[in-house]
């Protein structure tokens, strides 16, 4: 199953703590992002993949291009081909966590089902996230 989130990826932030109510909470932008990921996934998945099914997830984050890169003519070709890796923040694990949390309970019962991952982040003029979820057969 393939999904495309057609908006710039947002990393999972650290939970904030409200000392008055003694509760942890997320920033509004990440909470809304995870809801949009879930909404897109609901269109593809009528029900979560069975609980005991091991899953492989291939994910590619296409990040917005900073001005300092796009203004240099020699960078243009690699940027257009979407093959230039992002070595700056946000961290790959935080981007991944936001997507896995957004798909939890929709594409699969729990992200503990994920046994194999392939994740990349590259620059793109069309920021988005492409996700492929595969059910693995046990031998």
């Amino acid at each position: 199953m393939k999904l495309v989130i057609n908006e710039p990826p947002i990393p999972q932030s650290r939970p904030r703590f409200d000392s008055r109510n003694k509760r942890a909470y997320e920033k509004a932008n990440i909470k809304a992002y995870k809801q949009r990921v879930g909404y897109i996934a609901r269109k593809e998945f009528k029900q979560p993949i069975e609980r005991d099914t091991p899953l492989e997830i291939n994910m590619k984050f296409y990040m917005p291009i900073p001005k300092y890169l796009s203004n240099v003519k020699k960078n243009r070709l690699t940027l257009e081909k979407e093959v230039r890796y992002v070595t700056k923040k946000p961290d790959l694990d935080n981007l991944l966590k936001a997507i896995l949390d957004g798909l939890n309970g929709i594409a699969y019962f729990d992200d503990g089902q994920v046994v194999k991952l392939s994740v990349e982040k590259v620059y793109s003029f069309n920021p988005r996230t492409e996700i492929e979820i595969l059910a693995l057969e046990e031998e």
Side-chain angles (χ1 to χ4, degrees), residues 9-135:
I10 299 176
Q12 176 71 46
S13 58
R14 291 187 181 272
R16 304 289 182 223
F17 188 72
D18 182 0
S19 59
R20 194 172 351 149
N21 296 328
K22 307 246 189 277
R23 299 184 110 186
Y25 64 94
E26 291 181 316
K27 288 183 177 179
N29 69 332
I30 189 62
K31 191 172 184 179
Y33 178 71
K34 289 197 286 191
Q35 287 173 343
R36 288 190 302 274
V37 168
Y39 176 77
I40 292 166
R42 275 188 195 88
K43 291 180 183 177
E44 298 295 324
F45 292 91
K46 302 304 176 216
Q47 62 185 24
I49 295 171
E50 292 181 32
R51 190 177 306 270
D52 295 328
T53 305
L55 301 175
E56 174 182 350
I57 296 183
N58 301 308
M59 209 175 302
K60 195 163 188 178
F61 295 100
Y62 295 87
M63 305 300 290
I65 301 168
K67 283 202 187 288
Y68 76 88
L69 279 180
S70 63
N71 290 337
V72 179
K73 194 172 186 175
K74 70 177 184 175
N75 293 332
R76 194 79 180 166
L77 187 60
T78 59
L79 293 173
E80 285 175 354
K81 289 183 176 181
E82 298 179 331
V83 294
R84 183 163 183 158
Y85 291 111
V86 179
T87 58
K88 309 280 186 214
K89 289 198 179 271
D91 295 348
L92 194 58
D93 59 330
N94 294 331
L95 292 167
L96 176 66
K97 182 72 173 145
I99 296 292
L100 292 178
D101 286 352
L103 295 174
N104 218 5
I106 298 166
Y108 41 77
F109 279 96
D110 186 66
D111 54 9
Q113 288 175 254
V114 179
V115 297
K116 190 174 182 183
L117 279 171
S118 173
V119 188
E120 296 179 65
K121 63 178 179 173
V122 295
Y123 287 117
S124 174
F125 288 107
N126 177 24
R128 65 194 183 282
T129 303
E130 293 180 357
I131 306 159
E132 181 181 30
I133 302 173
L134 305 166

